[in-house]
Amino acid sequence: MSKRIRIFTSEDVEAHNSAASCWVTYKGRVYDVTCFLADHPGGDDLVLKHAGKDVELAMTNVEEHEHSESAYDMLEEFIIGRLGVGESLVSEDWVPADDFQPEDTDEAKDFEKNMFLDLRKPLLIQMWEANFSKSYYLQQVHQPRHLAESVRLFGPDYLEIFSRTAWYVVPTIWLPIAGYLGLRSVFQFAGPVAPFLVNPSLPLASLFSLPMDAYVKTGLCFLFGNFVWTILEYTLHRFLFHIDYYLPDTPIFLTVHFLLHGVHHYLPMDRLRLVMPPAMFTALSLPFTRLAHFLFPAAMANGVISGAFFFYVIYDCMHYAMHHTKLPAYLREQKKYHLAHHYKNFELGFGVTSKFWDYIFNTILPV
């Protein structure tokens, strides 16, 4: 893949507005003229007046300072990139509709115009070799694109399969695990005389011989786990998936951000990237399951984890439905709310299954 010229935003340029770091733009190109300040024939004050700004009008204004052809040739020695020209598809005026269906993106025109990611090629290697600033990345990744088929993240098929997950995989894998942990919690609350712990070959009916308080205790832990998941849903979405502005401006961190959540905002209607791949959820959930066992006895921990996993399944299936399914009244309302997070303001509206924590933490998104 040929190296592309580095792409900046106007915000990048505006941040370099002093003698210590002086950038200017001219005809869409970005120049670092810091080392030229002392050599400028008209003095550094003339340049610093335009630090962080465009200098095209100033350079063509003969009354202020007439520039020779050699001055323009010299300017090219300081080029470091160009300004991105992406058209915003996210708007505060966007109004969600029940039958919302975006138009497909023309891959060739999109890449020719934005020089961001070429949707005709695997995306991961492009992110790794990216030559755009973090500011431009964040600007572009939150401008949704839409294609009829899933875009490739990896080149080889044996890797690509791990990045695509059909919605039904989530309940197929995690509901049995949640059920197993719930039963394990019941057995542990029942004590060492629980029949399945003594003899696993006993018929299922022997479950009814367990003390009722074991089921009650597990049920309470299960409900607490439901509640815990709603907190995790909000905090992970807001503080991990949207860590955006705290990211270091390096390809490795931008690539990790893209894999975690950026690709979903970039391609929000991709049917095979709307639920978490099992490997990703396993990695994200491991620290929290370990924390549960650290904080609570085993019986309680398993009950809480069971409830959290069960509500996670609801969350992921609900998330898929919000992007692709006609829904009953409450879910239709949540669908509008979540799509507004994508198409109106990605810095608000972090709740998916409900708006509860958005109200609590004042991140509610008006729809």
Side-chain angles (χ1 to χ4, degrees), residues 50 75 77 80 85 87 90 104 120 125 156 160 176 199 206 222 235 240 250 283 287 296 328 344 351:
H50 304 284
L75 183 62
E77 298 176 11
I80 56 173
V85 294
E87 179 184 358
V90 175
D104 285 347
R120 298 163 296 181
I125 187 65
E160 187 66 15
N199 186 359
S206 62
F222 182 88
T235 55
L240 177 62
T250 62
F296 306 115
K344 189 173 184 178

Side-chain angles (χ1 to χ4, degrees), residues 292-305:
H293 280 284
F294 176 78
L295 294 175
F296 306 115
M300 292 180 64
N302 284 324
V304 171
I305 296 168

Side-chain angles (χ1 to χ4, degrees), residues 223-237 307-309 311-312 314-315 350-358 361:
L223 292 175
F224 180 65
N226 294 166
F227 177 74
V228 167
W229 171 257
T230 67
I231 300 174
L232 291 177
E233 173 192 318
Y234 178 87
T235 55
L236 287 175
H237 191 187
F309 279 13
F311 223 74
Y312 157 69
I314 293 176
Y315 154 82
F350 299 104
V352 176
T353 54
S354 79
K355 305 174 187 177
F356 178 78
W357 293 109
D358 281 316
F361 291 109

